[in-house]
Amino acid sequence: MITAKSVSKSYGDALVVDDVTITLPARGITSIIGPNGAGKSTLLSMMARLVGMDAGHVTIDGLDVVTTPSEALARRLAILRQDNHMTARLTVHDLVTFGRYPYSRGRPTEEDAVHVARALDYLGLTDLSGRFLDELSGGQRQRAFVAMVLCQDTDYVLLDEPLNNLDMKHAASMMRLWRDACRDFGKTVVIVLHDINFASWYSDHIVAMRQGRICRQGTPDEIIRTDALRDIYDMQIDVREIGGRRVCLFYE
Amino acid sequence: MTALRMDVFRGSHANPLLFCAVLFLIVVLAALSLFIGISNVSPSTLFGSGAEDRAMRVLLISRIPRTAAILLAGSALAIAGLVMQIIVRNRFVEPSTAGTTESASLGFLAVTILAPAWPLMAKMGVSALFALAGTALFLRILRFVPLRDVMLVPLVGIMLGGVIGAITTFFAYRFDLLPSVLAWTMGDFSGVLRGRYELLWIGFAATIMAYIAADRFTVAGMGRDFTTNLGLNYKAVMTLGLVLVSIIASVTLVSVGSIPFLGLIVPNIVSLMVGDNMRITVPWVAALGALFVLICDIVGRLMRYPYEIPIGVVVGVVGSAMFLYLLLRKRGPGA
């Protein structure tokens, strides 16, 4: 369980996250949605100790993310952010092996090797394991990072806009993959998403943010509704039910 | 526990035979370099008559220290470039394009003026502290550079180096130390004698440290968030890198002078060959750095025999050509 209590963060004069208190349920996919600048990514980064908070605290299974040794947290929680400033030429195998760093500190054991092989296999990267990251397509590279995160073998996985730069096919398979990972390994996955249809389709729980505050939260049925979405996005969004799932139409 | 270490030589990317060939070449050329010079030193004069021990003295006092200095400085400077590129996350920085070398030079000048009686080791320490401060200043300036353009970063470093170099030149001029400063900036192995190169072993120690911390540096090279996610302290890795680079820059500056481009070319070539996993690249960078300087030194000594062209000039000419090639080569996604 991830719990945030009275968490705030400002950059200069701009209050980005404003006194947020929330408990994210364990297991399954929780999506964080909301307009640009709502503070979604900042909140996620604070939960993963990437960004310090000005006030409040976050605990993961009771462990305070600020005071718990970073290495111990790395065995419980993994975060994947989009970093386009990628320069290092690592092979897929080396990258995935670094997922075991919190356990083996650069000296992978045979057990680590098993984890690596399993993660590569799970993502269909076994044949590409000797390739350098800069020789892969965008979708393959994304999968390599996902394999690393799976290899880190954490109960919690936080993903910051994982669908950016992915085409529809890869975006859908990425979401399916996390849904399956939740089912297969009992993980708790928290995803910052922009596309509310992806959130509607794949989430077990949705948290909506607006102007640095939590504006609503609940199941997709409770959030993906015209009135709720108007509160969140300030626009008229037509919601249709197709095959028991809710789909948003916001074009026009 | 039988740890499956990330093998130094794995797969096609790091051919162990090739690495052995490089090591063999270094040994052969190092042996050859011992016998180049005006004084007649050859296996026959060394072991032949026995009456003439002059050859042995030249070998021990001048030739062996010189070759050792070449190998140590070459490998350490190449490693400094490699570590620098990790810290800044830019392929075109090295100590001489980040203000590090110039700061080390300023520090050495300052201590020469203010405390001329201090032992060389202490002077080197001051120089390393200046190098550290100068590089930290460079990193701080980079935070304010809005566009992290690949080429902008080394340009900022070169400008900073220019400013610091100007300050050095000013004070060197005022205190009549211009020739010494010139000697530091122009790498030269001809003055290396026994007792005047041993500081370079500190650079070698820094190289070993870089190898020990190789995994941490590789992780840090993937960025702050990536590093924190794996439970590593990003700042601590950066600081370690800064300290290693500063130490290497100052010991080489003090002992043999600066050698431009070395830290730029060698790590870039190694990156193209075997990638950026430092557990694999550190031995390659160290070996190829040593080999590159060794070859340049031999060329410089033979070109106008019996006169000598300083190593800084030879490396500068060869290095700038190779640098141009690296720049103009079709840029990959990560370059």
Side-chain angles (χ1 to χ4, degrees), chain B residues 69-150:
Chain B
I70 289 165
L71 297 177
L72 292 172
S75 54
L77 276 174
I79 291 292
L82 176 69
V83 173
M84 195 88 214
Q85 283 151 31
I86 295 273
I87 297 175
V88 185
R89 293 186 82 193
N90 183 300
R91 290 210 188 286
F92 296 112
V93 291
E94 63 130 16
S96 66
T97 64
T100 313
T101 311
E102 290 78 6
S103 306
S105 178
L106 177 61
F108 199 51
L109 178 73
V111 75
T112 306
I113 293 169
L114 297 173
W118 281 14
L120 192 58
M121 189 74 173
K123 287 183 179 169
M124 192 285 285
V126 174
S127 160
L129 284 180
F130 269 68
L132 196 65
T135 318
L137 178 67
F138 170 63
L139 292 179
R140 188 142 276 256
I141 292 173
L142 280 189
R143 280 206 221 154
F144 298 107
V145 178
L147 265 178
R148 277 217 135 190
D149 183 77
V150 188

Side-chain angles (χ1 to χ4, degrees), chain A residues 79 85 87 89 94 110 130, chain B residues 2 10 13 89 91 276-277:
Chain A
I79 179 158
H85 191 69
T87 49
R89 259 162 67 83
D94 288 354
E110 281 170 36
Chain B
T2 44
R10 185 161 31 70
H13 297 306
R89 293 186 82 193
R91 290 210 188 286
D276 288 328
N277 188 340

